[in-house]
Amino acid sequence: MQTNAASAEPRRPAATALTGRQRFLNACACLPVDRPPVWLMRQAGRALPEYRALRQQHSFLELVQTPELAAEITLQPIRRFGFDAAILFSDILITAEGLGQKYRFDESNDIKMDFALRSAADIARLNTEALPGHLQYVPRALRLIKSALRNQTTLIGFAGSPWTLATFMVEGGSSEHCPHTLTLFRKDHKTYFDLAERLTTAVIAHLQMQIEAGVDAVQIFDSHGGLLAPTEFQEASGRWMKEIIAALKGRAGSPLAIHRSPLPAADGAHGLTGHSNATAEVARPTDIPIIVFSPGTHGNWDDLLATGADVLGIDWRFPLADVRRLLPGDVGLQGNLAPALLSDATPEVVAAETSRLLEAMRGRNGYIFNLGHGLPPEAKLENIAALVETVKSFK
Ligand code: CP3
């Protein structure tokens, strides 16, 4: 049992029988839990033989766009490892596809967009209104998954941040240093802001659609935030994520105040978020937790807090114990085991490093165990099992 050393509060009876979903939602709201919830970024995918078998028969995009297959792949890691949360099998770049900029993978598995955004005229072609129509396979997959999970396991939806989407869309595909996007932001604020505004609208629509289909939480992947200088981060990325979160929480235009999600303690199986009924048809403000993962932005803690995220995902290049000291106790923290341990180390080493992290976070309400970035395709199944077992048996 994880206890707050400073408080003499008695054990909550409810905390002994939490479902994965309750454990996860409690942690997002910084409420007590029996042990930290656990899931892994990129838990669905190439590390699993059952995924690779399906992938032999279908292209990646076929898997993403066929609701039954996307649902099956989302559930594979839940069946095998019993994670507390499932993340929709999908991709951040379907937002670009929904806007009319299609993509594919080349021979070396790099992303190739059909064209690169290089001018104001290219940007003007992006059609935010068409997005929900193009992405109907997303809510279809989510409804299948939601019903299979029976509210026992959290369902996480996601999208890329406007900045990170812009890097793929402006470069025209995968790029290590994203020079065109950085130059666009640095030289021509007006055009970059026009793009960021459209992407912000698109991401709000994409996440709202997932929320209406019943996800319990969403994560915004700002995977390329770390390419920016700390002085650039707020204008290029932070403020757009803040706008998305304000819109989803029904606070568009509200001042800087950091909002806490008022989730009740987990003492009932249903209705924790008001979203157990997946048939809501009308867009509405939500109190579902929002996670922001922005690797490599360790000079921007204030900007990250100002996004209004309920939980911050922390990458593996910064000690979590330091983040714990630096950030207020009412924001959730998620992370941050080094992903390469899962491919390179032995189960004993993985278990020891997992325990070390759990100890560093002992007594800190609002902690979600995860890797510090995605699970590598070469991860060994016995290492994933050792990680999960160690978290599940943490007392
Ligand atoms: O986390 C999960 O298990 C859910 C599925 C998921 C995928 N992509 C599946 C995927 C999620 C959450 C993503 C997000 C995503 N997609 C990000 C942000 C996450 C991060 O790592 O920072 C990014 C940058 C993308 C774009 C993307 N998709 C790239 C650059 C690539 C090629 C590189 C790679 O990892 O293969 C993809 C392909 C992709 N997305 C695969 C999977 C399982 C591999 C496809 C295959 O089977 O060949």
Side-chain angles (χ1 to χ4, degrees):
M1 160 97 186
Q2 190 186 11
T3 52
N4 184 338
S7 108
E9 264 192 23
R11 254 170 105 124
R12 282 166 185 256
T16 56
L18 295 177
T19 63
R21 179 170 177 270
Q22 291 168 328
R23 183 177 293 116
F24 183 92
L25 292 174
N26 271 16
C28 289
C30 294
L31 292 169
V33 285
D34 47 355
R35 54 139 177 105
V38 55
W39 71 282
L40 306 181
M41 291 184 276
R42 298 283 187 112
Q43 65 192 18
R46 287 166 297 180
L48 301 190
E50 53 272 37
Y51 171 79
R52 294 197 297 267
L54 271 178
R55 184 72 174 76
Q56 299 260 298
Q57 302 161 37
H58 306 274
S59 72
F60 173 69
L61 290 177
E62 247 167 52
L63 296 176
V64 165
Q65 293 172 2
T66 310
E68 291 72 19
L69 293 172
E72 165 60 22
I73 295 168
T74 302
L75 296 169
Q76 285 175 345
I78 307 305
R79 288 192 203 110
R80 193 183 263 273
F81 296 111
F83 290 113
D84 293 300
I87 182 162
L88 173 67
F89 178 79
S90 186
D91 202 88
I92 61 167
L93 291 172
I94 68 169
T95 306
E97 180 207 310
L99 288 167
Q101 191 187 15
K102 293 209 163 88
Y103 73 105
R104 60 189 169 79
F105 292 87
D106 68 11
E107 319 69 51
S108 42
N109 216 27
D110 280 339
I111 306 261
K112 283 272 172 291
M113 311 302 295
D114 275 2
F115 57 95
L117 300 180
R118 286 293 153 80
S119 67
D122 292 336
I123 292 167
R125 278 167 62 191
L126 301 176
N127 182 358
T128 47
E129 273 157 36
L131 181 131
H134 284 304
L135 302 186
Q136 279 307 307
Y137 54 84
V138 170
R140 288 198 193 109
L142 287 170
R143 291 200 169 91
L144 293 173
I145 302 161
K146 180 83 184 155
S147 98
L149 294 176
R150 293 173 297 110
N151 277 343
Q152 301 295 299
T153 302
T154 321
L155 177 53
I156 303 175
F158 70 91
S161 72
W163 164 253
T164 294
L165 289 170
T167 59
F168 285 98
M169 295 168 76
V170 171
E171 301 303 323
S174 310
S175 161
E176 197 178 342
H177 302 295
C178 302
H180 294 100
T181 325
L182 286 163
T183 303
L184 175 67
F185 170 71
R186 288 169 181 159
K187 273 200 179 151
D188 185 357
H189 261 48
K190 186 173 170 302
T191 306
Y192 175 73
F193 285 168
D194 180 30
L195 173 59
E197 249 169 56
R198 282 168 203 263
L199 292 175
T200 297
T201 305
V203 170
I204 291 168
H206 188 191
L207 290 175
Q208 190 69 55
M209 196 161 76
Q210 297 179 59
I211 290 164
E212 284 161 24
V215 297
D216 299 304
V218 297
Q219 176 156 320
I220 301 175
F221 284 91
D222 186 33
S223 308
H224 288 169
L227 293 175
L228 294 156
T231 47
E232 296 172 321
F233 176 79
Q234 175 64 4
E235 285 299 301
S237 187
R239 64 177 273 200
W240 310 101
M241 294 194 282
K242 178 173 176 237
E243 217 171 279
I244 291 163
I245 293 172
L248 294 177
K249 290 190 182 276
R251 293 178 290 116
S254 70
L256 268 169
I258 293 170
H259 173 86
R260 304 301 320 137
S261 192
L263 281 171
D267 52 10
H270 301 291
L272 270 182
T273 65
H275 279 274
S276 54
N277 175 353
T279 58
E281 281 163 23
V282 190
R284 59 195 163 126
T286 174
D287 268 324
I288 76 160
I290 300 178
I291 308 166
V292 163
F293 174 63
S294 183
T297 55
H298 311 134
N300 293 95
W301 298 120
D302 287 345
D303 297 328
L304 292 167
L305 288 171
T307 62
D310 300 277
V311 178
L312 294 178
I314 311 297
D315 73 75
W316 55 277
R317 292 181 171 92
F318 202 88
L320 206 51
D322 291 358
V323 183
R324 178 181 184 171
R325 273 194 295 278
L326 284 167
L327 298 195
D330 66 350
V331 66
L333 300 176
Q334 173 175 279
N336 76 347
L337 195 71
L341 282 172
L342 280 287
S343 50
D344 302 350
T346 59
E348 292 70 32
V349 171
V350 170
E353 291 301 315
T354 299
S355 297
R356 193 203 293 261
L357 204 45
L358 289 163
E359 285 304 335
M361 296 305 281
R362 182 182 284 283
R364 208 291 190 176
N365 281 341
Y367 174 50
I368 299 168
F369 197 97
N370 205 316
L371 302 177
H373 208 142
L375 184 70
E378 306 78 18
K380 298 191 183 100
L381 297 176
E382 61 270 28
N383 285 345
I384 306 175
L387 180 159
V388 173
E389 219 19 72
T390 306
V391 180
K392 287 192 173 178
S393 55
F394 182 62
K395 291 197 178 55

